[in-house]
Amino acid sequence: MKPEHKSTDQSLSGPGLEFVGLSKVQGPLIVIDNIRDVGFGERVEVVTATGETRQGRVLAVSEKAAVVEVFHGTSGLDQSKTRVRFLGRPFELVVSKEEILGRIFSGLGMPIDGGPAPFQGESRNVNGLPINPVARAYPEDFIQTGISTIDGMNTLVRGQKLPIFSGSGLPHNDLAMQIVRQARILTEESGFAIIFAAMGVRHDEAEAFRKSFEESGVLNNVAMFLNLADDPAVERLIAPRVALTAAEFLAFEEGLHVLVILTDMTNYCEALREVATAKGEVPSRKGYPGYLYSDLASIYERAGRIHGRKGSVTQIPILTMPDDDITHPIPDLTGYITEGQIVLDRTLFRKGIYPPVNVLPSLSRLMSDGIGEGKTREDHKNLSSQLYAAYSKAKQVERLASIIGEEDLSPTDKKYFEFSKEFENRFVNQAKDENRSIFDTLDLGWELVMILPRSELVRVTEEEIEKYGKASHTGYQEQPDKDKGRT
Amino acid sequence: MKDTNQGPTPLVTYISGPVVKAKPAHLLSMNEMVEVGEDRLVGEVIGLEGETATIQVYEDTVGIKPGTRVFGQSIPLFAELGPGLIGQIFDGIQRPLDLLKEQWGDFIKRGKTSAALLRDKLWHFEPLVEKGSSVSPGMAIGQVKETEAIIHKILVPPGISGTVKDIAPDGHYTLEDKVAEVEVRPGEAKGLKMFHRWPVRQPRPYKKRFMPSIPLLTGQRVIDTFFPLAKGGTAAIPGGFGTGKTVTQHQLSKWADADIIIYIGCGERGNEMTGVLTDFPKLLDPRTQRPLIERTVLIANTSDMPVAAREASIYTGITMAEYFRDQGYDVALMADSTSRWAEALREISGRLEEMPAEEGFPAYLASRLAAFYERAGQVETLSGDRGSVSLIGAVSPPGGDFSEPVTMHTKRFVQCFWALDKELASARYFPAINYLNSYSAYVEAVSKWWQQTTSPEWRELRDKAVEILQEDAKLQNIVKLLGEEALPDDQRRIIEGAKLIKNDFLQQSAFDPVDTYCPPLKQFYLLKVIMHFIDRLQDVVMARVPLFRAMELPVVEKIHRAKYTIKGEEIEPFLQIMKETDEQIDALIEKNREPYHET
Ligand SMILES: Nc1ncnc2c1ncn2[C@@H]1O[C@H](COP(=O)(O)OP(=O)(O)OP(=O)(O)O)[C@@H](O)[C@H]1O
Ligand SMILES: [Mg+2]
């Protein structure tokens, strides 16, 4: 699964403008003097002394010189013999459904599965264009993933961008694969595709994804864009854009519902930092460039639905938080752009809980429009809010218990203590192949909140308790002395 | 505009992202608007040095080459002001997004577009002056009923005064039609159309400023009762991601009792703008019963749109706000998020290789922020009316850390600080406005209004509630170590009381059909009911009745539910709850006095 470094792309028409010799090589950047007629952002081919072709892009250009980033790195480039060809157009991907699905490409969109390069379709600029907010359709179609912490408390909807914030060694890949395997849209069955973009991930990880697609029999609906750990770092800057160009085409031209997995965005950001440092830019936090937010937005915003078009692009980016730190610029800026986040937690993982989703810092911003009567169930919103309130209180009680001891907790606090354990072991925890329906998830949620005294259930209504709470909780007993005074 | 195809033009010499340099500079002036290349990409001159002009381009510069022509427009970056603004959605440099969609389809491309305001639409103009009247800047020469809710006054632009030589009769006109002619000097007349242009970076003039004293009611209890904003005031909403900045600003846009709302999505999500676009035509303004969109102007420069236009979007928005203020309206402007604006400033500054100050931000960050918030205010307009611009800016501190430059500087220039809290948000306690470190400098100023409108005891009640929350915060430190059980009942009264204030008053879901908006009277009585109960708990404690007995009284459940069940401006049900509180607490105390009833 290694990308080929020699261009086999026949579609590059015309020689473009060619210049020989580099005036400067620095990190992934080269500077070419005495150029003319070169445009900002255009695609570049760099031909080494040995005839190998590398891809690049113009980062800045003046009357005299151009600065080019080389996606395959600059090692081995000869200052006097290297030839640089300016192609006069931006980085593009040729797209057509037949030629993309079921295929494996490099991070630059070159086939690495032995098949031919796509050539029938149209060429699209991989940078894409912003979707006009007027044209967007608000995402509100519930996707059932079969995972309780997601469906019940951080609902995913079609056209959402919902990243997984993970840490090294946590089972984010397993979770992503489980989502891909189980994701169902309750209301309708329709054509779908999966776009998988790897940035700097290990061979075995990419292979595990491929296997998982194969086992669930969807391989023909998948396109993989792979930049692996030993592939050039700078190529990671293009990989997600190439993948999203394919996704947008499949969604908005071919009418498919496309699920895009981008992993690992942390590697992407590190590549961006590398280029920024080489350019000598003033860094902002932790050495990352000040435009990291805008740059990430140009990736994450390429999700959504469009009025009058059938398909949708749903993104599940995965990132590993350096040192498990959610305030690190990468998760932080991601959270500021995406429509929520699913946060994995090392403490839960150590307790043996899978998926180790910590619901408290997790969020789905599009949840309130995707759930409720007619979509999931009328009690969904309040129950979810109650579970949040209860678990958050339970965590405080756990802290208290660690100081004064479980024995000395008040009777109510003891209930919270119990709730916390049950919630983690039964609601959060589930098997890797366990596919819970939304109704099972909600019933389970009710069963758990009913552990608590009725007076603690301030986020759900009396009617809901009557209708769902009692029914779901077989062990539930009226608390006689509480209800006495009520009429 | 000057005929830009004639004569020599500067040529591009350098391109790096949104920053372009061109020579010779003497053909351009500072802050002049320019168009770059045959695609006519809009830009602005932001620096002149020697023979080199630096231009920030508001559109994608991919493909631009050295040697490309730059066309000066002879005017600074401006906004078009006139009928046709309301209900519209524009990008950061006021390109109309719905027309862009017609022109280019679902994706935003670059290059020249139609003007901001529709030129061929007919508006019903009613003259307000006669031939021979003398007019001065800011005076209305006529009006157009733009929506059911908004009468758009046609103002004499700043800089023009004289005698009306001609005025169009009542009738239908387009924006290009001349509706008046004013003799500014003997023999020199100026024609006025229904719109004019104004440079966005320049504040519009007014006669004088007033101290804000009327609350800008938002229907959000934690804001109106605890940390009120005044009409013409300034507020910041800082908070980490997902803490509720956008939802709060959407709530304010929906329910604030302003006449006009300007909502700027500055470097934020596309779907959030789409959400407003879908909701606002359906939601009704509680005051006028008209769709909210009929009083709203949207500016969307989402995070994936060009970064330089993001910087401009704030100014485009505030200029529109001032323009409606000048018509005598109360305007509220939301900017989500000012941090993205500051980052755009930083990005451009970095490309100019300016000397950075804190965290890479340019040294002028503070003065730019100050100048922006300074454009808020309640004023006497040039024509003697009163109008106001209230500014509400979201701040997105990296890592949720309020000690970063944008939050720190903003704090210096705003009067209300609604600090959002990650802990509260993760417990889904909304609005997650931290009641301990938020503040408003307007409490004193708006007290009079509240006391006149609700009751003279408003201020006392509010202050008492704040006090209980502060005492509670202290006690919580003990609770964390020892548990609630360890406290004596008089202190538990504070804890229980604070719980009622927090859960039954402050907590307010934006998504609840009833509780999303809470009118002033309801706010007052809800708080009164709760504070009355807390007061009566004192009697319970004094009578040595275990506190939890009081918390089990049926009336407590009624208090919990009051915000959802009592609608509109009803008072009676609140009085009823207070009556029940007294009855039940009296009975409880009575019962415990008789020893044989004790359990
Ligand atoms: N007043 C509220 N009532 C109910 N829910 C709320 C309220 N405020 C916030 N929320 C919940 O919190 C989520 C995040 O809020 P919001 O999108 O406003 O955050 P934000 O601070 O703008 O984040 P970002 O900086 O990433 O844009 C919302 O999707 C909603 O579920
Ligand atoms: Mg927001």
Side-chain angles (χ1 to χ4, degrees), chain B residues 159-276:
Chain B
I160 292 181
S161 50
T163 315
V164 176
K165 261 183 70 185
D166 205 3
I167 177 85
D170 194 303
H172 288 80
Y173 303 92
T174 71
L175 288 191
E176 289 296 356
D177 293 326
K178 204 196 285 174
V179 290
E181 208 163 40
V182 176
E183 190 171 52
V184 288
R185 262 176 295 276
E188 187 188 339
K190 280 225 158 102
L192 300 185
K193 296 175 180 174
M194 281 188 281
F195 78 104
H196 65 270
R197 298 197 166 112
W198 186 261
V200 295
R201 296 187 195 278
Q202 189 180 330
R204 288 173 64 88
Y206 53 85
K207 240 188 221 150
K208 72 171 197 229
R209 251 172 207 275
F210 300 106
M211 285 298 287
S213 62
I214 311 287
L216 181 81
L217 296 172
T218 66
Q220 312 301 303
R221 290 183 291 268
V222 61
I223 294 178
D224 291 350
T225 303
F226 275 36
F227 310 112
L229 176 59
K231 286 187 174 134
T234 50
I237 318 177
F241 61 80
T243 49
K245 298 179 292 296
T246 304
V247 173
T248 305
Q249 291 199 322
H250 281 190
Q251 284 297 90
L252 264 57
S253 310
K254 286 175 189 166
W255 311 125
D257 68 338
D259 303 307
I260 307 268
I261 301 288
I262 314 273
Y263 188 96
I264 311 172
C266 173
E268 293 290 313
R269 302 172 184 84
N271 276 331
E272 290 173 347
M273 299 312 291
T274 309
V276 175

Side-chain angles (χ1 to χ4, degrees), chain A residues 1 16 28 107 118 123 177 184 189 220 225 258 262 266 274 337 348 368 380 397-398 412 415 419 433 456 479:
Chain A
M1 291 209 269
S123 291
M177 284 184 257
R184 292 283 171 279
E189 273 309 313
N220 283 334
F225 295 85
V258 185
L262 304 169
T266 301
E274 191 181 325
I337 302 164
L348 288 173
S368 62
H380 194 160
V397 170
E398 274 186 5
T412 303
K415 289 289 180 193
F419 170 83
D433 58 356
E456 296 295 308
Q479 287 160 301

Side-chain angles (χ1 to χ4, degrees), chain A residues 19-245:
Chain A
F19 301 90
V20 181
L22 312 175
S23 72
K24 192 171 167 187
V25 180
Q26 181 173 17
L29 307 182
I30 55 175
V31 179
I32 304 100
D33 279 350
N34 302 318
I35 47 108
R36 80 200 125 70
D37 213 25
V38 166
F40 172 72
E42 75 179 58
R43 184 173 182 174
V44 175
E45 283 183 342
V46 178
V47 186
T48 66
T50 56
E52 176 202 345
T53 304
R54 302 183 188 181
Q55 307 293 322
R57 178 170 59 176
V58 177
L59 281 190
V61 56
S62 70
E63 291 159 298
K64 296 188 203 74
V67 181
V68 169
E69 64 181 339
V70 184
F71 296 124
H72 293 127
T74 52
S75 89
L77 287 191
D78 180 307
Q79 241 189 317
S80 58
K81 294 200 201 101
T82 302
R83 287 177 296 137
V84 180
R85 213 182 285 150
F86 293 89
L87 300 180
R89 50 200 171 77
F91 225 96
E92 287 168 326
L93 179 73
V94 176
V95 283
S96 71
K97 189 171 155 188
E98 298 70 29
E99 292 176 313
I100 290 180
L101 288 180
R103 302 285 311 273
I104 303 176
F105 302 91
S106 75
L108 296 179
M110 316 279 187
I112 50 171
D113 54 1
F119 64 97
Q120 292 171 356
E122 56 171 311
S123 291
R124 295 185 150 215
N125 184 340
V126 299
N127 286 326
L129 289 169
I131 302 177
N132 190 326
V134 174
R136 280 185 186 269
Y138 201 77
E140 53 190 9
D141 300 322
F142 172 65
I143 299 178
Q144 179 176 298
T145 66
I147 295 159
S148 291
T149 42
I150 298 180
D151 295 351
M153 302 176 74
N154 296 287
T155 317
L156 176 67
V157 301
R158 212 147 60 179
Q160 183 171 17
K161 38 193 180 289
L162 187 63
I164 298 174
F165 287 9
S166 186
S168 50
L170 297 183
H172 44 264
N173 288 341
D174 291 337
L175 178 59
M177 284 184 257
Q178 191 172 3
I179 294 172
V180 169
R181 273 196 313 272
Q182 300 181 354
R184 292 283 171 279
I185 286 147
L186 280 189
T187 44
E188 65 183 275
E189 273 309 313
S190 40
F192 73 98
I194 294 157
I195 300 285
F196 178 82
M199 289 152 280
V201 306
R202 293 193 317 269
H203 283 253
D204 58 312
E205 291 179 274
E207 181 55 22
F209 271 99
R210 200 197 58 80
K211 259 220 179 95
S212 158
F213 299 143
E214 190 172 33
E215 279 161 16
S216 42
V218 296
L219 210 48
N220 283 334
N221 297 15
V222 180
M224 300 181 83
F225 295 85
L226 303 181
N227 166 283
L228 300 178
D230 56 354
D231 286 332
V234 190
E235 189 184 290
R236 285 164 205 161
L237 298 180
I238 286 290
R241 297 188 161 84
V242 168
L244 285 162
T245 303

Side-chain angles (χ1 to χ4, degrees), chain A residues 40 61 130 293 309 332 336 339 362, chain B residues 15 63 106 267 271 397 399 428:
Chain A
F40 172 72
V61 56
Y293 174 85
R309 300 192 190 225
D332 189 49
Y336 271 123
E339 285 143 350
S362 300
Chain B
I15 311 110
D106 297 335
N271 276 331
R428 301 307 190 260

Side-chain angles (χ1 to χ4, degrees), chain B residues 14-45:
Chain B
Y14 170 87
I15 311 110
S16 167
V19 171
V20 164
K21 296 189 179 175
K23 277 180 188 169
H26 69 261
L27 295 173
L28 299 168
S29 56
M30 188 64 182
N31 290 122
E32 181 175 349
M33 205 165 156
V34 297
E35 293 177 0
V36 178
E38 297 314 314
D39 276 351
R40 300 285 179 152
L41 309 186
V42 179
E44 181 186 358
V45 178

